[in-house]
Amino acid sequence: GAVVSQHPSWVICKSGTSVKIECRSLDFQATTMFWYRQFPKQSLMLMATSNEGSKATYEQGVEKDKFLINHASLTLSTLTVTSAHPEDSSFYICSARVKGSSSYEQYFGPGTRLTVT
Amino acid sequence: QKEVEQNSGPLSVPEGAIASLNCTYSDRGSQSFFWYRQYSGKSPELIMSIYSNGDKEDGRFTAQLNKASQYVSLLIRDSQPSDSATYLCASGAGSYQLTFGKGTKLSVIP
């Protein structure tokens, strides 16, 4: 149980274009989903927290107009990287909390590797 | 500022030995603690959670929590080469966000 998928698993795009990454909870409903970014040999960096039906909360230093997050349902959150630049190349990982759970446990998706050329 | 500190390693242990990974946290309000394993190029995988002082065992893994010392550890018995990975310690408090350490890289030498 508690499986989270991400699509695509990897993507290459040209500078200036936009890329959408989907995060789905497959066998549970997720009230809260989190988006992280991880650069090589560095730890996870929380970008934003999204709750179903409300606006995402972005961490300090993360541009909300560049990284658009939509959490339209209890099983789907999307991250759109707008006007991507090479410095946005990174490993983007989502995680989800089970709806109704009092636990802090987060279940991670497999990640999406973005390369901007 | 909530912080979780881990020794970055690498920690090298021979196959069959016990690997000991340590973590300290700054937020006394933290209630939940987790160990995630992350293989190179992959996303983190939850391997242990612990909520109360003492030890919690699951197979070859034992998590230990000491809230007075703000200290969490993970012991891996009978270490295997497949245990070679980066281990992330995380604490949770307040808004259901987790604070992650930078991870300890473990290498199990055959």
Side-chain angles (χ1 to χ4, degrees):
Chain A
V3 179
V4 178
S5 71
Q6 274 184 251
H7 178 80
S9 55
W10 61 270
V11 58
I12 301 173
C13 71
K14 292 187 176 180
S15 187
T17 61
S18 296
V19 173
K20 179 185 283 188
I21 301 170
E22 291 187 350
C23 176
R24 292 182 185 273
S25 54
L26 297 184
D27 53 359
F28 66 99
Q29 292 184 324
T31 315
T32 307
M33 289 184 171
F34 303 88
W35 287 95
Y36 295 85
R37 181 168 53 180
Q38 188 174 38
F39 292 107
K41 299 189 186 299
Q42 295 188 24
S43 190
L44 297 171
M45 187 194 82
L46 179 65
M47 299 175 67
T49 302
S50 77
N51 291 294
E52 184 265 338
S54 59
K55 290 183 178 180
T57 302
Y58 291 82
E59 295 300 299
Q60 192 173 6
V62 178
E63 300 174 57
K64 63 180 181 181
D65 294 330
K66 179 171 182 64
F67 299 99
L68 302 179
I69 293 172
N70 185 303
H71 192 157
S73 76
L74 287 171
T75 60
L76 173 64
S77 177
T78 60
L79 167 68
T80 301
V81 182
T82 63
S83 187
H85 287 97
E87 57 264 32
D88 298 323
S89 298
S90 188
F91 191 39
Y92 291 86
I93 313 172
C94 72
S95 69
R97 278 191 59 243
V98 178
K99 178 186 177 184
S101 169
S102 60
S103 168
Y104 283 77
E105 285 184 8
Q106 292 181 20
Y107 299 94
F108 283 85
T112 296
R113 194 162 301 281
L114 170 64
T115 301
V116 185
T117 61
Chain B
Q1 181 88 6
K2 301 175 185 176
E3 291 185 345
V4 174
E5 300 285 343
Q6 293 182 255
N7 187 322
S8 62
L11 173 66
S12 294
V13 300
E15 183 175 355
I18 296 175
S20 177
L21 305 164
N22 305 313
C23 166
T24 58
Y25 60 94
S26 64
D27 184 3
R28 283 199 173 274
S30 296
Q31 299 294 319
S32 309
F33 304 89
F34 305 93
W35 284 98
Y36 286 85
R37 177 175 62 199
Q38 187 175 24
Y39 292 114
S40 181
K42 303 294 185 181
S43 68
E45 172 192 10
L46 179 65
I47 55 172
M48 286 289 285
S49 59
I50 187 165
Y51 305 97
S52 53
N53 281 327
D55 295 0
K56 179 181 177 183
E57 186 175 317
D58 183 0
R60 296 186 296 112
F61 299 98
T62 299
Q64 299 174 318
L65 173 60
N66 183 325
K67 289 186 178 180
S69 301
Q70 295 176 244
Y71 176 88
V72 191
S73 67
L74 179 70
L75 300 178
I76 306 175
R77 289 181 298 281
D78 188 24
S79 296
Q80 301 297 309
S82 59
D83 295 326
S84 297
T86 296
Y87 289 80
L88 303 172
C89 174
S91 70
S95 62
Y96 290 112
Q97 291 179 354
L98 294 180
T99 300
F100 284 88
K102 293 184 177 181
T104 298
K105 185 173 182 179
L106 172 66
S107 293
V108 181
I109 312 300

Coordinates of all heavy atoms in Angstrom, one line a residue, chain A residues 3 7-8 12-13 15 20 28 31 34 38-39 44 48 51 59 70 73-75 81 95 102 107 111 113 116-117:
Chain A
V3 N 1.3 3.7 -2.4 CA 2.1 3.9 -3.6 C 1.9 5.2 -4.2 O 0.7 5.6 -4.4 CB 1.8 2.7 -4.6 CG1 2.7 2.9 -5.8 CG2 2.1 1.4 -3.9
H7 N 4.9 11.1 -13.1 CA 5.1 11.1 -14.6 C 5.4 12.4 -15.1 O 4.8 13.4 -14.7 CB 3.8 10.6 -15.2 CG 3.8 10.5 -16.7 ND1 4.5 9.5 -17.4 CD2 3.4 11.4 -17.6 CE1 4.4 9.7 -18.7 NE2 3.7 10.8 -18.8
P8 N 6.4 12.6 -16.0 CA 7.2 11.5 -16.5 C 8.4 11.2 -15.5 O 8.6 11.9 -14.5 CB 7.8 12.1 -17.8 CG 7.9 13.6 -17.5 CD 6.7 13.9 -16.6
I12 N 13.5 15.9 -21.0 CA 14.5 16.9 -21.5 C 13.7 18.0 -22.2 O 12.8 17.7 -23.0 CB 15.5 16.2 -22.4 CG1 16.2 15.1 -21.7 CG2 16.5 17.3 -23.0 CD1 17.1 14.3 -22.7
C13 N 13.9 19.2 -21.9 CA 13.2 20.3 -22.6 C 14.2 21.4 -22.9 O 15.3 21.5 -22.3 CB 12.1 20.8 -21.7 SG 12.6 21.8 -20.3
S15 N 15.3 25.4 -23.1 CA 15.3 26.6 -22.3 C 14.1 27.4 -22.8 O 13.9 27.7 -24.0 CB 16.6 27.3 -22.4 OG 16.6 28.4 -21.5
K20 N 5.4 20.0 -17.3 CA 4.4 19.6 -16.2 C 4.8 18.3 -15.7 O 5.0 17.3 -16.4 CB 3.0 19.6 -16.7 CG 2.0 19.2 -15.6 CD 0.6 19.1 -16.2 CE -0.1 20.5 -16.4 NZ -1.5 20.4 -16.7
F28 N -4.4 5.4 -2.2 CA -4.9 6.1 -1.1 C -5.2 7.5 -1.5 O -4.8 8.0 -2.5 CB -3.9 6.1 0.1 CG -2.6 6.8 -0.2 CD1 -2.4 8.1 0.3 CD2 -1.6 6.2 -0.9 CE1 -1.2 8.8 0.0 CE2 -0.4 6.9 -1.2 CZ -0.2 8.2 -0.7
T31 N -4.4 14.1 1.4 CA -4.8 15.4 1.7 C -3.7 16.4 1.4 O -3.9 17.5 0.9 CB -5.1 15.6 3.2 OG1 -5.9 14.5 3.6 CG2 -5.8 16.9 3.5
F34 N 3.7 17.0 -1.1 CA 4.9 17.9 -0.9 C 5.7 17.7 -2.2 O 5.8 16.7 -2.8 CB 5.7 17.4 0.3 CG 5.0 17.4 1.6 CD1 4.2 16.3 2.0 CD2 5.0 18.5 2.4 CE1 3.6 16.3 3.2 CE2 4.3 18.5 3.6 CZ 3.6 17.4 4.0
Q38 N 16.1 18.0 -5.6 CA 17.3 17.5 -5.1 C 18.4 17.6 -6.1 O 18.2 17.0 -7.2 CB 17.2 16.0 -4.6 CG 18.4 15.5 -3.9 CD 18.2 14.1 -3.4 OE1 17.6 13.3 -4.0 NE2 18.8 13.8 -2.2
F39 N 19.4 18.4 -5.9 CA 20.5 18.5 -6.8 C 21.5 17.4 -6.4 O 21.5 16.9 -5.3 CB 21.2 19.9 -6.6 CG 20.3 21.0 -7.1 CD1 19.6 21.9 -6.2 CD2 20.1 21.2 -8.5 CE1 18.8 22.9 -6.7 CE2 19.2 22.2 -8.9 CZ 18.6 23.0 -8.0
L44 N 17.4 16.6 0.2 CA 16.1 17.1 -0.3 C 15.9 18.5 0.1 O 16.2 18.9 1.3 CB 15.0 16.2 0.3 CG 15.0 14.7 0.0 CD1 14.0 14.0 0.8 CD2 14.7 14.5 -1.5
A48 N 7.5 23.2 -1.8 CA 6.2 23.6 -1.4 C 5.3 22.5 -0.9 O 5.6 21.3 -1.1 CB 5.5 24.2 -2.7
N51 N -2.2 21.4 -0.4 CA -3.3 20.8 0.2 C -4.5 20.8 -0.9 O -4.7 21.8 -1.6 CB -3.8 21.5 1.4 CG -2.8 21.3 2.6 OD1 -2.6 20.2 3.0 ND2 -2.1 22.4 2.9
E59 N 8.0 27.4 0.1 CA 9.1 27.7 1.0 C 9.9 29.0 0.5 O 9.8 29.4 -0.6 CB 10.1 26.6 1.0 CG 9.5 25.3 1.6 CD 9.0 25.5 3.0 OE1 9.9 25.8 3.9 OE2 7.8 25.3 3.2
N70 N -0.7 22.7 -8.6 CA -2.1 22.5 -8.6 C -2.4 21.2 -7.9 O -1.9 20.1 -8.3 CB -2.6 22.5 -10.0 CG -4.2 22.5 -10.0 OD1 -4.8 21.6 -9.5 ND2 -4.8 23.5 -10.7
S73 N -7.2 17.3 -6.9 CA -8.0 16.2 -6.3 C -7.2 15.5 -5.2 O -6.0 15.9 -5.0 CB -8.4 15.2 -7.4 OG -7.2 14.4 -7.7
L74 N -7.8 14.6 -4.6 CA -7.2 13.9 -3.5 C -6.1 12.9 -3.9 O -5.5 12.2 -3.1 CB -8.2 13.2 -2.5 CG -9.0 14.2 -1.7 CD1 -10.2 13.5 -1.0 CD2 -8.1 14.9 -0.6
T75 N -6.0 12.7 -5.2 CA -5.0 11.8 -5.7 C -4.1 12.3 -6.7 O -3.2 11.6 -7.2 CB -5.7 10.5 -6.4 OG1 -6.5 11.0 -7.4 CG2 -6.6 9.8 -5.4
V81 N 6.9 23.6 -14.2 CA 8.1 24.5 -14.2 C 7.9 25.4 -15.5 O 8.0 24.9 -16.6 CB 9.4 23.7 -14.3 CG1 10.6 24.6 -14.2 CG2 9.4 22.7 -13.1
S95 N 5.9 13.8 -2.6 CA 5.5 12.9 -1.5 C 4.1 13.2 -1.1 O 3.6 14.2 -1.4 CB 6.5 12.9 -0.3 OG 6.3 14.1 0.4
S102 N -3.0 10.8 11.3 CA -2.4 11.7 12.2 C -0.9 11.6 12.1 O -0.1 12.3 12.8 CB -2.9 11.5 13.6 OG -2.5 10.2 14.0
Y107 N 5.1 9.4 1.9 CA 5.4 8.3 0.9 C 5.8 9.0 -0.4 O 5.1 9.9 -0.9 CB 4.2 7.4 0.7 CG 3.8 6.7 2.0 CD1 2.8 7.2 2.8 CD2 4.5 5.5 2.4 CE1 2.5 6.6 4.0 CE2 4.2 4.9 3.6 CZ 3.2 5.4 4.4 OH 2.8 4.8 5.6
G111 N 10.2 10.1 -8.4 CA 11.0 11.2 -8.9 C 11.0 11.4 -10.4 O 10.7 10.5 -11.2
R113 N 13.4 13.3 -13.3 CA 14.7 14.0 -13.6 C 14.5 14.9 -14.8 O 14.1 14.5 -15.8 CB 15.7 12.9 -13.9 CG 17.2 13.5 -13.9 CD 18.2 12.5 -13.7 NE 18.1 11.6 -12.6 CZ 18.5 12.0 -11.4 NH1 19.0 13.2 -11.2 NH2 18.4 11.1 -10.3
V116 N 17.2 20.6 -18.6 CA 16.9 21.8 -19.5 C 18.1 22.1 -20.3 O 19.2 22.4 -19.8 CB 16.4 23.0 -18.6 CG1 16.0 24.1 -19.6 CG2 15.3 22.6 -17.7
T117 N 17.9 22.1 -21.6 CA 19.1 22.3 -22.5 C 19.1 23.8 -23.1 O 18.1 24.4 -23.0 CB 19.1 21.3 -23.7 OG1 17.9 21.5 -24.4 CG2 19.2 19.9 -23.1

